[in-house]
mmCIF file of all heavy atoms in Angstrom:
data_model
loop_
_atom_site.group_PDB
_atom_site.id
_atom_site.type_symbol
_atom_site.label_atom_id
_atom_site.label_comp_id
_atom_site.label_asym_id
_atom_site.label_seq_id
_atom_site.Cartn_x
_atom_site.Cartn_y
_atom_site.Cartn_z
ATOM 1 N N ILE B 164 4.221 8.833 11.231
ATOM 2 C CA ILE B 164 3.071 8.515 12.088
ATOM 3 C C ILE B 164 3.540 8.122 13.480
ATOM 4 O O ILE B 164 2.990 8.562 14.496
ATOM 5 C CB ILE B 164 2.224 7.400 11.449
ATOM 6 C CG1 ILE B 164 1.577 7.918 10.159
ATOM 7 C CG2 ILE B 164 1.157 6.910 12.421
ATOM 8 C CD1 ILE B 164 0.900 6.832 9.341
ATOM 9 N N ALA B 165 4.582 7.271 13.541
ATOM 10 C CA ALA B 165 5.088 6.854 14.847
ATOM 11 C C ALA B 165 5.605 8.048 15.650
ATOM 12 O O ALA B 165 5.372 8.153 16.862
ATOM 13 C CB ALA B 165 6.196 5.818 14.655
ATOM 14 N N THR B 166 6.293 8.959 14.975
ATOM 15 C CA THR B 166 6.813 10.145 15.657
ATOM 16 C C THR B 166 5.676 11.014 16.177
ATOM 17 O O THR B 166 5.733 11.527 17.300
ATOM 18 C CB THR B 166 7.693 10.960 14.697
ATOM 19 O OG1 THR B 166 8.747 10.129 14.216
ATOM 20 C CG2 THR B 166 8.295 12.165 15.401
ATOM 21 N N ALA B 167 4.640 11.165 15.354
ATOM 22 C CA ALA B 167 3.498 11.967 15.784
ATOM 23 C C ALA B 167 2.819 11.353 16.996
ATOM 24 O O ALA B 167 2.411 12.057 17.933
ATOM 25 C CB ALA B 167 2.509 12.114 14.628
ATOM 26 N N VAL B 168 2.692 10.014 17.011
ATOM 27 C CA VAL B 168 2.059 9.340 18.158
ATOM 28 C C VAL B 168 2.876 9.569 19.423
ATOM 29 O O VAL B 168 2.336 9.880 20.495
ATOM 30 C CB VAL B 168 1.897 7.830 17.862
ATOM 31 C CG1 VAL B 168 1.477 7.090 19.130
ATOM 32 C CG2 VAL B 168 0.874 7.622 16.761
ATOM 33 N N VAL B 169 4.200 9.413 19.308
ATOM 34 C CA VAL B 169 5.055 9.637 20.473
ATOM 35 C C VAL B 169 4.909 11.083 20.967
ATOM 36 O O VAL B 169 4.834 11.352 22.170
ATOM 37 C CB VAL B 169 6.528 9.332 20.128
ATOM 38 C CG1 VAL B 169 7.441 9.757 21.270
ATOM 39 C CG2 VAL B 169 6.700 7.850 19.839
ATOM 40 N N GLY B 170 4.869 12.018 20.015
ATOM 41 C CA GLY B 170 4.709 13.413 20.405
ATOM 42 C C GLY B 170 3.391 13.676 21.107
ATOM 43 O O GLY B 170 3.335 14.400 22.104
ATOM 44 N N ILE B 171 2.305 13.066 20.606
ATOM 45 C CA ILE B 171 0.992 13.261 21.223
ATOM 46 C C ILE B 171 0.978 12.684 22.635
ATOM 47 O O ILE B 171 0.484 13.295 23.582
ATOM 48 C CB ILE B 171 -0.107 12.624 20.354
ATOM 49 C CG1 ILE B 171 -0.246 13.403 19.036
ATOM 50 C CG2 ILE B 171 -1.430 12.590 21.103
ATOM 51 C CD1 ILE B 171 -1.148 12.723 18.027
ATOM 52 N N VAL B 172 1.545 11.481 22.779
ATOM 53 C CA VAL B 172 1.590 10.854 24.106
ATOM 54 C C VAL B 172 2.416 11.706 25.069
ATOM 55 O O VAL B 172 2.014 11.946 26.209
ATOM 56 C CB VAL B 172 2.162 9.427 24.003
ATOM 57 C CG1 VAL B 172 2.402 8.854 25.397
ATOM 58 C CG2 VAL B 172 1.227 8.535 23.212
ATOM 59 N N ALA B 173 3.578 12.167 24.589
ATOM 60 C CA ALA B 173 4.422 12.997 25.448
ATOM 61 C C ALA B 173 3.723 14.288 25.828
ATOM 62 O O ALA B 173 3.811 14.753 26.968
ATOM 63 C CB ALA B 173 5.742 13.300 24.737
ATOM 64 N N SER B 174 2.984 14.874 24.883
ATOM 65 C CA SER B 174 2.233 16.095 25.181
ATOM 66 C C SER B 174 1.179 15.840 26.241
ATOM 67 O O SER B 174 0.983 16.644 27.164
ATOM 68 C CB SER B 174 1.577 16.639 23.907
ATOM 69 O OG SER B 174 2.542 16.976 22.956
ATOM 70 N N GLY B 175 0.467 14.693 26.105
ATOM 71 C CA GLY B 175 -0.552 14.362 27.099
ATOM 72 C C GLY B 175 0.033 14.183 28.482
ATOM 73 O O GLY B 175 -0.521 14.666 29.478
ATOM 74 N N VAL B 176 1.174 13.498 28.551
ATOM 75 C CA VAL B 176 1.839 13.317 29.844
ATOM 76 C C VAL B 176 2.256 14.669 30.413
ATOM 77 O O VAL B 176 2.128 14.928 31.617
ATOM 78 C CB VAL B 176 3.052 12.376 29.686
ATOM 79 C CG1 VAL B 176 3.851 12.327 30.983
ATOM 80 C CG2 VAL B 176 2.599 10.994 29.283
ATOM 81 N N MET B 177 2.760 15.551 29.546
ATOM 82 C CA MET B 177 3.199 16.867 30.008
ATOM 83 C C MET B 177 2.021 17.678 30.537
ATOM 84 O O MET B 177 2.116 18.349 31.574
ATOM 85 C CB MET B 177 3.875 17.614 28.854
ATOM 86 C CG MET B 177 4.656 18.838 29.294
ATOM 87 S SD MET B 177 6.036 18.373 30.335
ATOM 88 C CE MET B 177 6.829 19.975 30.497
ATOM 89 N N VAL B 178 0.887 17.630 29.820
ATOM 90 C CA VAL B 178 -0.297 18.349 30.278
ATOM 91 C C VAL B 178 -0.741 17.811 31.636
ATOM 92 O O VAL B 178 -1.066 18.564 32.559
ATOM 93 C CB VAL B 178 -1.434 18.230 29.241
ATOM 94 C CG1 VAL B 178 -2.742 18.738 29.825
ATOM 95 C CG2 VAL B 178 -1.072 19.005 27.979
ATOM 96 N N TRP B 179 -0.753 16.465 31.770
ATOM 97 C CA TRP B 179 -1.146 15.868 33.056
ATOM 98 C C TRP B 179 -0.198 16.324 34.164
ATOM 99 O O TRP B 179 -0.623 16.707 35.251
ATOM 100 C CB TRP B 179 -1.106 14.337 32.936
ATOM 101 C CG TRP B 179 -1.281 13.652 34.252
ATOM 102 C CD1 TRP B 179 -2.446 13.343 34.877
ATOM 103 C CD2 TRP B 179 -0.224 13.196 35.115
ATOM 104 N NE1 TRP B 179 -2.193 12.728 36.063
ATOM 105 C CE2 TRP B 179 -0.835 12.633 36.257
ATOM 106 C CE3 TRP B 179 1.164 13.220 35.034
ATOM 107 C CZ2 TRP B 179 -0.104 12.080 37.294
ATOM 108 C CZ3 TRP B 179 1.895 12.684 36.076
ATOM 109 C CH2 TRP B 179 1.269 12.119 37.182
#
Side-chain angles (χ1 to χ4, degrees):
I164 293 171
T166 303
V168 170
V169 172
I171 292 171
V172 172
S174 298
V176 173
M177 194 65 173
V178 169
W179 171 85

